Amino acid sequence: MISRTERVVNYTVLVALAAAVLVPVGYFVLAAVSPDRAGRPALGDLRWENFATAWRSADFSRSMTVSLTITVVVVVVGVLLALLGGYGFGVLGVVGEKALFPVVLLGMMISLEAIIVPLYYQFRPLGLTNSVPGIILIHLGTGVPFGVFWMRAAFRALPRSLFESAELDGAGPLRMLSRVALPLIRPAVYTLVLLSFMWTWNDYFLSLVFLHGDNQTATVALGVFQGKHVTEINLMAAGGLLVAAPVLVLYVFFQRKFIAGMLAGALKE
C-alpha cells in the first residue's frame, strides 16, 4: 500500500505529463481554427471553415481515397498472412523452423532506406512504380515479418494442452485456429491491426519515391500543400489534423484492446 505522500507525488507527475502532452495538442487544434494566418489562437472567433478550405486546396478527397485503399488492403492481407504464419510457427510447427524463422525475421532487421534504390530499379521494368499494387507489395513485404513474429508470440503464450484437447475432440488445424485460438488472442490481433494501419497510413518515404500524380497519398499531398501555404499556419494545422484524423479515430476505437494486447505481449513473452 502506498503512502499519501507517494500518491500525491504520483498524481503530480501524471498531471504534469498529461499537461506536457495535451497543451501542445490543444494549441495545435486552436491554431487550426484560428482566423489568423500565423495560427495565433483566438477563442472568440473559431473558423471551422479552415478545414474545408484545406480539404479543397490539397485535394484530399482523391489522395485520401488512395491512402485508404492502400491501407485497407495492407491491413487485411497483412494480418491474415501474419495470423497464418504465426499459427504455423507457433502451434503447428514448421519443418526447418529453426532456419526459416530467422529468415522471416530478416525482414524486420533490414532498413528500408538501404534497399529502396535497388527495389525501385527492380520494380520499374515490372510496371510496379507509380502503381498502387506495387506499393502494397512493398508494405506487405516489410510489415508481415513483424506480424508473424507478433502472432507467433501470442499463439505460444496459449497453453499447449488447449490444442491437444481440441485435437482429441476431432478439430482440424483450421478449426482450432478459428474456434479455439483466435478468440483468445483477439487483443493481440487488434493491436496488430492498429499498428499496421498506423504505419501504412503515416508512410511518407515510400509514397514519395514510388507514387506521384493521381496516385499521390494523403501524407505526400499534405507535404505539397504545406509547400504551397507555408505562410498560412492555420491552414497547415487544419490539413495536418485532417490527415491524422483516421489514425486518431481508430486509436480511440481500439484503445482498450490495444493496451490489453501490449500488456499481454509484455507478460507472456
Side-chain angles (χ1 to χ4, degrees):
M1 185 174 179
I2 63 174
S3 67
R4 180 182 175 85
T5 304
E6 286 177 308
R7 186 177 288 113
V8 170
V9 171
N10 287 344
Y11 276 105
T12 303
V13 171
L14 289 174
V15 168
L17 290 174
V21 172
L22 293 177
V23 168
V25 173
Y27 189 85
F28 191 73
V29 173
L30 290 175
V33 294
S34 168
D36 184 13
R37 291 163 63 97
R40 283 186 283 268
L43 293 177
D45 186 12
L46 302 180
R47 300 291 178 87
W48 297 102
E49 60 267 28
N50 286 351
F51 291 102
T53 305
W55 181 275
R56 287 192 301 270
S57 180
D59 194 14
F60 278 134
S61 56
R62 180 187 51 75
S63 59
M64 282 207 177
T65 302
V66 174
S67 283
L68 196 61
T69 303
I70 293 170
T71 305
V72 169
V73 174
V74 169
V75 169
V76 172
V77 178
V79 170
L80 182 61
L81 291 175
L83 263 176
L84 295 176
Y87 185 61
F89 282 117
V91 178
L92 299 180
V94 176
V95 177
E97 178 184 349
K98 289 185 178 178
L100 284 176
F101 191 61
V103 172
V104 173
L105 293 185
L106 277 177
M108 296 168 53
M109 300 170 189
I110 299 175
S111 165
L112 184 61
E113 287 78 3
I115 62 171
I116 193 160
V117 173
L119 197 60
Y120 181 86
Y121 285 105
Q122 285 180 326
F123 270 42
R124 194 167 62 174
L126 301 174
L128 293 175
T129 54
N130 196 25
S131 158
V132 170
I135 201 162
I136 286 173
L137 281 176
I138 300 173
H139 278 299
L140 288 175
T142 55
V144 167
F146 172 79
V148 171
F149 170 76
W150 182 262
M151 285 294 105
R152 176 179 176 268
F155 282 121
R156 289 213 161 182
L158 299 177
R160 188 70 192 172
S161 57
L162 194 67
F163 297 101
E164 291 171 354
S165 300
E167 201 169 5
L168 287 174
D169 289 340
L174 288 179
R175 193 175 180 85
M176 283 195 293
L177 172 63
S178 60
R179 299 296 178 86
V180 178
L182 198 54
L184 296 173
I185 61 163
R186 275 181 186 164
V189 176
Y190 289 135
T191 303
L192 183 61
V193 168
L194 180 60
L195 290 174
S196 180
F197 187 97
M198 184 175 65
W199 290 337
T200 309
W201 182 270
N202 288 339
D203 166 63
Y204 180 79
F205 183 53
L206 268 178
S207 303
L208 183 66
V209 173
F210 280 87
L211 298 177
H212 53 80
D214 290 342
N215 288 329
Q216 202 173 56
T217 59
T219 50
V220 177
L222 178 63
V224 175
F225 173 76
Q226 289 178 339
K228 292 178 181 175
H229 300 271
V230 69
T231 60
E232 296 176 279
I233 308 300
N234 53 348
L235 293 184
M236 288 167 56
L241 284 177
L242 286 172
V243 173
V247 175
L248 295 176
V249 170
L250 196 69
Y251 179 76
V252 169
F253 183 72
F254 280 121
Q255 182 190 11
R256 288 182 181 278
K257 296 180 174 64
F258 175 72
I259 294 170
M262 295 297 287
L263 288 176
L267 292 173
K268 292 173 183 174
E269 263 307 297

